[in-house]
Amino acid sequence: RTKKIKEEDTHDVEIKEGIEACVGNTPLFRIKSLSEETGCDILGKAEFLNGAGGSPKDRVALNMIKTAEEEGLLTPHSGDTIYEGTVGSTGISLATICRARGYLAHICMPSDQATEKSDLLLKLGAVVDRVPPAPIIDPMHFVNRARNLAADHTADPTRPGRGYFADQFENQANWQAHFEGTGPEIYQQCGGKLDAFVAGAGTGGTIAGVARFLKSKLPNLRVVLADPQGSGLFNRIKNGVMFDTLEKEGTRRRSQVDTIVEGIGINRVTANFEAGRELIDDAIKVNDEEALAMARWLAEKDGMFVGSSSAVNCKWSLGVAGYSHLTKEGVAAARLARLSGPGQRIVTILCDSGTRHLSKFWTHAGDIGGKTDSKLNDIIGD
């Protein structure tokens, strides 16, 4: 029978206002297979469940737009267009929230990114420029192109509205979104009890914002950067310089980070990363083979179909848990094994679904088929 609801029973029901209200307050859950293998609580913050664009970039996009509105730089339903250079996730979040708040989106992205990202952007009504990969000093670099297009729009009296360059790499509203949202949520969900936070970095906003909040509450918390191959952030933390061994000396004009992982890793300093750099205690490299193996493991053992950056984050969570002796490169293994062990609580970020990585990352990862008997040593390496 259907229970008849009395009017007085409905006064406490919370109705959200628009898709923007579905951003944030994502679940934190125990990744069972990794926790059981390590004797630690390895917890995943399910940022892929953000309700607009399905990634932590929802928080960033919404906060950048709100901040610009407060500063009088954007006016809803005026013809204003938001321009951004992105490898995909920020663009998807912006395109979604732009439509919800009365703006248009123009997204510039490298042409070597997974095609499903640009396909989705087009379905959301964004203008998409897929530009050839280029170094940041090139005017046609995807970030520079977005900046220039925004300026051209504003300067053109024949076009409606203004062009606003969101500038996710340098915009302080990026890390502030995580300082005000992601960090407090993790702290509350853990009851204030956690030992380490692990995350990769692209713009650096997530790790900086979360670190700034959590370290203010838990000064002894370990914050660890997970960096894919080809990225220079590992050396930025370890040695104070931006350099990766895959880059030949004197060739700083590299086009892109040399990895199949998308969304994290970079070879330049950003304001958002620098906002939290001093709070990052350690860093490790995760190569493509390790990321692919971890993605397959999570699908097989936990039914988790994650994107490439989530696989990197989970792989490094094992290192913090004292399983770093399983890494193929063995970077910082002894140090991290001493730092942790069974009983630790480690939180990492699950950024987006593997459905955005089908044509690139998961093409390399392949199908897991009917496999059920993988061992962690087999997946990670000896």
Side-chain angles (χ1 to χ4, degrees):
R1 293 177 61 184
T2 302
K3 181 181 178 181
K4 185 176 181 179
I5 300 175
K6 298 179 182 178
E7 184 176 350
E8 58 268 26
D9 293 334
T10 64
H11 70 282
D12 286 330
V13 176
E14 182 183 1
I15 304 298
K16 301 290 187 180
E17 185 68 22
I19 195 70
E20 312 99 298
C22 300
V23 175
N25 295 310
T26 56
L28 183 72
F29 68 93
R30 186 171 181 264
I31 303 175
K32 292 187 292 185
S33 69
L34 299 183
S35 298
E36 291 165 3
E37 288 284 345
T38 62
C40 293
D41 271 338
I42 297 182
L43 310 179
K45 180 72 167 155
E47 288 293 279
F48 59 86
L49 292 179
N50 275 297
S55 82
K57 297 300 186 179
D58 281 2
R59 301 176 187 265
V60 175
L62 182 58
N63 200 42
M64 290 193 300
I65 290 173
K66 283 184 173 180
T67 301
E69 289 173 342
E70 292 166 1
E71 295 174 353
L73 300 174
L74 284 172
T75 304
H77 306 290
S78 66
D80 285 354
T81 299
I82 297 176
Y83 293 79
E84 183 60 298
T86 167
V87 297
S89 290
T90 302
I92 294 166
S93 295
L94 279 171
T96 304
I97 297 173
C98 278
R99 286 291 173 171
R101 295 182 77 88
Y103 303 106
L104 299 174
H106 190 129
I107 304 302
C108 301
M109 63 187 299
S111 58
D112 61 351
Q113 300 301 292
T115 56
E116 47 267 40
K117 295 180 181 179
S118 54
D119 290 345
L120 179 54
L121 284 165
L122 291 169
K123 300 300 184 188
L124 290 167
V127 175
V128 181
D129 280 344
R130 287 181 67 97
V131 300
I136 189 63
I137 60 173
D138 191 322
M140 285 301 294
H141 182 278
F142 64 98
V143 172
N144 296 333
R145 178 161 174 77
R147 180 189 293 108
N148 294 335
L149 287 171
D152 291 345
H153 182 153
T154 301
D156 188 347
T158 67
R159 300 187 65 179
R162 295 164 292 181
Y164 174 71
F165 175 49
D167 199 13
Q168 62 165 328
F169 290 92
E170 309 301 326
N171 192 329
Q172 300 289 303
N174 182 338
W175 71 260
Q176 289 166 358
H178 297 290
F179 179 83
E180 296 166 1
T182 319
E185 288 172 27
I186 290 171
Y187 184 77
Q188 182 180 26
Q189 289 167 325
C190 288
K193 298 177 181 179
L194 66 156
D195 300 289
F197 174 69
V198 180
T203 66
T206 301
I207 196 168
V210 172
R212 286 178 71 134
F213 180 84
L214 290 181
K215 286 262 189 174
S216 71
K217 300 291 186 181
L218 301 166
N220 295 325
L221 177 81
R222 300 289 297 177
V223 176
V224 182
L225 170 75
D227 207 30
Q229 68 179 53
S231 172
L233 294 178
F234 170 83
N235 278 311
R236 182 66 172 164
I237 296 301
K238 289 289 193 178
N239 306 310
V241 296
M242 292 290 289
F243 181 73
D244 182 80
T245 54
L246 291 177
E247 298 181 81
K248 296 179 180 178
E249 186 174 355
T251 58
R252 294 299 300 157
R253 294 176 60 91
R254 282 177 51 81
S255 297
Q256 293 286 79
V257 174
D258 187 12
T259 178
I260 61 171
V261 172
E262 296 183 353
I264 58 174
I266 196 170
N267 277 313
R268 69 180 191 274
V269 175
T270 67
N272 277 285
F273 185 77
E274 290 299 291
R277 179 172 63 89
E278 295 299 325
L279 299 175
I280 301 173
D281 299 293
D282 213 338
I284 196 171
K285 285 286 189 188
V286 177
N287 64 39
D288 286 351
E289 289 75 17
E290 291 168 335
L292 292 165
M294 178 53 68
R296 290 190 294 266
W297 169 275
L298 291 171
E300 175 187 336
K301 300 297 185 182
D302 295 277
M304 292 168 54
F305 188 56
V306 300
S308 54
S309 57
S310 299
V312 169
N313 289 343
C314 288
K315 167 63 188 69
W316 184 215
S317 295
L318 289 177
V320 178
Y323 261 56
S324 50
H325 65 284
L326 293 176
T327 66
K328 294 178 181 177
E329 297 177 329
V331 180
R335 180 180 178 190
L336 286 168
R338 286 196 300 268
L339 289 173
S340 301
Q344 300 289 298
R345 175 174 282 178
I346 300 156
V347 173
T348 194
I349 300 292
L350 303 176
C351 303
D352 61 4
S353 166
T355 56
R356 290 188 185 169
H357 302 261
L358 290 172
S359 65
K360 189 175 177 184
F361 181 79
W362 271 98
T363 293
H364 289 275
D367 301 333
I368 63 169
K371 194 170 181 60
T372 61
D373 59 350
S374 294
K375 300 293 187 290
L376 195 60
N377 278 18
D378 298 332
I379 295 296
I380 305 301
D382 296 326

